[in-house]
Amino acid sequence: MTAPFLSLAQIRNRLVLTARWVLREHRPAPDGRCPVCRTAGCPAAAAARDVLRAATQVHLWHPTEPDRAAPRRVDDGG
């Protein structure tokens, strides 16, 4: 499927899967450097961590409905 036909939840899930894949590929070697970027502070891994942090903080919800638990005020007309 292409992006215009995906729901927000599907887009979020794809972002999470991609970020996890990037973190697996850019996991630091025993010497502390990224095997792909060959740097100690891998910018790709940092960006993937930021994406995961943002994706887990976003809560997808439906539009709010009126509170059904609140009692309705009855106007007795007097």
Side-chain angles (χ1 to χ4, degrees), residues 7-71:
S7 70
L8 292 177
Q10 289 170 319
I11 293 170
R12 177 188 170 274
N13 290 341
R14 287 187 179 197
L15 285 170
V16 168
L17 289 174
T18 303
R20 287 179 182 170
W21 175 75
V22 168
L23 285 174
R24 273 193 306 273
E25 294 291 321
H26 292 260
R27 181 176 296 155
D31 64 353
R33 295 186 315 172
C34 170
V36 178
C37 301
R38 307 300 296 162
T39 61
C42 177
R49 281 190 294 274
D50 290 342
V51 167
L52 284 175
R53 188 176 307 115
T56 56
Q57 290 177 353
V58 172
H59 299 286
L60 302 176
W61 65 90
H62 297 287
T64 58
E65 295 181 12
D67 188 11
R68 296 178 189 220

